[in-house]
Amino acid sequence: MKNMSIRMKVTLWYTVALIFVVSLTYFLIFFVSYQVILKTVRDSLIETVEHNVDEIEYYESLSGVDLQNDVDHFAAYGDGFLEIDDDFLDEVNQVYTALYSSDGVLLYGENPIARDVRELEFADSQIQSVTVDGTLYYIFDRQLEDSGLEGLWLRGVVSEEQGRVQLNDISRLSLILLPMLVIAAAVGGYLIARRALRPIAQISEAASFINQGDDLKKRIEIGEGKDELHRLADSFNEMFERLEKSFETEQQFTLDASHELRTPMSVILAQCEYSLSEERDAEEYRNALSVIERQGRKMSKLINDMLDFARLELRTGKYPLDEVDMTELVSSTSEDLSLIREKNIELTCDAQPEIRVIGNRDLLNRLLVNLVSNANRYGVEGGHINVTLKTENGQMLLSVEDDGIGMDEETQKKVFDRFYQADPS
């Protein structure tokens, strides 16, 4: 069972359940059909006897009756004669009808259990039952009440076996059709399960392909849909996308770290080699150590920055969010940055009052510092930097505007790539 595929397990359980339901249905059909057939048999008995009541008439004399051409049966009774219509048959649909006198003498017709029910009293318009040689028989009596027919009874007899024959036909047909239904449903269920579970096989193949080939760009394509398997495939695709992004971030972090740490490390090694190459005086050692300290601090800051970038991109960093007074933050930071005065660039700030947002103060401050620092670095001599804070359409808008060299459209597409420079020179 453990080694079976999911579709085989689904098909097996589905088939077992279907067999149970079909078996229960068969027994219900058998029971209900049996009751219906027995009722039909009894109704047929009553209908036949009631019909034959009208097939018997009494004549005081046969004068005027064409006995040569009349096909009805005539029998003497009392002071006259009985005419029994030719439609009065000995047996109709295995229902036997016989004409009796009130003392139990059979006058006409046939009764297959006449001797066994000789002592059974007549009961007008009632169904009685007797068992003869293990077979159940239903008996229905009708007293004739028309003029001249006094003292006559019609007794109809039908065997339960008539219903059993019909029931056997139904059972035989059910035993042929119901198993065929189970087989057809099982095959259909297997095909439906295989089609429904096909996305799982595609998910497995895609995951295996990625695992073997390290191709994180592979995605699961199972078409449009909103069922559970399509949502599962979408979740896997999102997971693969995050894995790809994490892998690329890791690679980029390695490249960034190598690139950014190369210069300070080269400076530190150069200072160490210079200091150890020969005896130096205390001032030279102090200068060398100062350079090494500055480069070490620079390396530490770079490492912390890159770790922060990685945490932000992977969303693993825990940065508390508070209500930040952006008006105060932008105003105070701009005031501090205006003191730099690189290239005689003048910085002005226009902050709309009472603007508050939910965010992390340190990250928002770093955002503004980076933007202004870039504007200073790439601004023109004697230029201007305008910092503006306002609300627009219910949202906060922070802009840092300068009159520097600017960026072309192609460069703007890469502005959020870390450590990207349009012109490395």
Side-chain angles (χ1 to χ4, degrees):
M1 189 75 174
K2 293 181 179 180
N3 297 326
M4 286 185 180
S5 63
I6 295 178
R7 61 175 176 268
M8 283 301 299
K9 291 180 182 178
V10 171
T11 303
L12 179 61
W13 284 110
Y14 170 76
T15 303
V16 171
L18 188 61
I19 290 174
F20 174 77
V21 172
V22 167
S23 301
L24 182 62
T25 302
Y26 172 77
F27 287 111
L28 287 175
I29 290 175
F30 185 87
F31 177 76
V32 173
S33 298
Y34 182 65
Q35 300 301 320
V36 171
I37 288 174
L38 288 184
K39 184 179 184 304
T40 302
V41 169
R42 292 192 293 266
D43 291 344
S44 177
L45 170 64
I46 295 173
E47 182 181 355
T48 301
V49 173
E50 292 290 354
H51 174 75
N52 286 334
V53 167
D54 298 328
E55 303 299 322
I56 302 174
E57 296 182 25
Y58 177 77
Y59 291 93
E60 294 180 355
S61 171
L62 295 179
S63 60
V65 178
D66 186 3
L67 298 177
Q68 296 296 327
N69 297 320
D70 200 325
V71 294
D72 293 339
H73 178 76
F74 291 89
Y77 179 71
D79 297 331
F81 299 90
L82 296 176
E83 180 189 17
I84 304 173
D85 197 281
D86 64 332
D87 292 336
F88 188 109
L89 305 177
D90 294 339
E91 180 266 330
V92 176
N93 295 328
Q94 298 183 6
V95 177
Y96 297 90
T97 307
L99 179 64
Y100 282 86
S101 62
S102 57
D103 55 3
V105 176
L106 178 63
L107 301 178
Y108 181 79
E110 183 178 350
N111 185 346
I113 56 171
R115 277 185 278 181
D116 298 287
V117 297
R118 186 180 304 162
E119 304 299 327
L120 184 65
E121 294 183 0
F122 293 106
D124 187 35
S125 300
Q126 295 183 19
I127 291 182
Q128 305 180 78
S129 61
V130 295
T131 301
V132 177
D133 297 331
T135 301
L136 179 66
Y137 289 88
Y138 295 106
I139 297 174
F140 181 73
D141 299 323
R142 272 294 266 117
Q143 185 177 16
L144 302 182
E145 299 175 347
D146 290 345
S147 177
L149 300 180
E150 296 84 357
L152 294 178
W153 289 80
L154 281 181
R155 168 163 284 180
V157 178
V158 66
S159 170
E160 186 188 33
E161 289 299 321
Q162 179 189 5
R164 290 190 179 276
V165 171
Q166 299 179 33
L167 186 62
N168 289 337
D169 292 339
I170 294 175
S171 299
R172 192 179 301 110
L173 185 63
S174 298
L175 288 174
I176 294 174
L177 294 180
L178 291 180
M180 292 177 62
L181 174 64
V182 170
I183 294 173
V187 173
Y190 176 82
L191 296 176
I192 292 174
R194 184 176 67 177
R195 181 178 180 84
L197 297 175
R198 187 178 299 166
I200 293 182
Q202 293 176 317
I203 292 172
S204 177
E205 291 173 3
S208 177
F209 182 83
I210 291 173
N211 181 54
Q212 294 176 4
D214 294 330
D215 182 11
L216 292 176
K217 295 187 179 298
K218 176 71 175 178
R219 296 294 181 268
I220 302 169
E221 302 293 341
I222 60 174
E224 296 294 330
K226 295 183 179 180
D227 57 24
E228 292 84 350
L229 290 177
H230 282 82
R231 291 200 298 270
L232 177 62
D234 292 339
S235 298
F236 267 91
N237 286 335
E238 291 175 4
M239 181 186 70
F240 293 150
E241 187 173 347
R242 290 193 63 185
L243 286 174
E244 179 187 5
K245 187 175 181 181
S246 299
F247 183 70
E248 291 177 350
T249 300
E250 181 182 350
Q251 287 183 321
Q252 186 64 41
F253 180 82
T254 303
L255 293 174
D256 293 343
S258 301
H259 174 74
E260 294 297 324
L261 296 177
R262 184 183 296 115
T263 300
M265 280 300 300
S266 299
V267 173
I268 290 174
L269 290 174
Q271 287 297 316
C272 291
E273 290 173 0
Y274 171 78
S275 299
L276 295 174
S277 62
E278 59 183 56
E279 288 290 333
R280 307 289 179 185
D281 57 32
E283 185 64 26
E284 289 180 311
Y285 282 128
R286 188 178 294 109
N287 292 334
L289 289 174
S290 297
V291 172
I292 291 173
E293 181 187 19
R294 286 197 304 271
Q295 296 300 322
R297 291 183 183 279
K298 183 177 180 181
M299 288 175 60
S300 177
K301 183 178 184 302
L302 284 171
I303 291 172
N304 289 332
D305 287 346
M306 286 188 288
L307 287 174
D308 285 341
F309 291 148
R311 290 193 191 100
L312 284 171
E313 291 191 357
L314 295 177
R315 299 182 181 180
T316 58
K318 301 297 183 181
Y319 295 99
L321 301 180
D322 299 301
E323 186 179 67
V324 180
D325 186 344
M326 285 299 296
T327 301
E328 184 274 330
L329 175 65
V330 172
S331 299
S332 59
T333 302
S334 298
E335 184 178 353
D336 294 340
L337 294 175
S338 66
L339 301 176
I340 297 176
R341 305 291 292 181
E342 290 184 9
K343 303 179 183 178
N344 294 318
I345 295 177
E346 182 181 359
L347 187 148
T348 59
C349 175
D350 180 15
Q352 181 179 322
E354 298 299 326
I355 295 181
R356 297 177 180 273
V357 296
I358 300 299
N360 182 272
R361 183 182 180 89
D362 292 336
L363 292 179
L364 290 170
N365 182 68
R366 180 181 294 182
L367 166 68
L368 180 57
V369 170
N370 285 344
L371 290 174
V372 175
S373 297
N374 283 332
N376 273 311
R377 185 175 300 116
Y378 299 106
V380 296
E381 186 73 29
H384 298 82
I385 299 175
N386 298 318
V387 177
T388 305
L389 177 69
K390 61 181 179 179
T391 55
E392 188 173 290
N393 297 326
Q395 295 182 328
M396 182 191 76
L397 177 62
L398 172 65
S399 66
V400 177
E401 210 174 350
D402 62 62
D403 46 12
I405 58 177
M407 292 183 291
D408 57 30
E409 186 175 347
E410 188 63 30
T411 303
Q412 290 177 22
K413 297 177 182 179
K414 302 178 181 180
V415 71
F416 290 107
D417 293 348
R418 292 178 307 172
F419 305 108
Y420 173 76
Q421 286 183 315
D423 183 3
S425 62

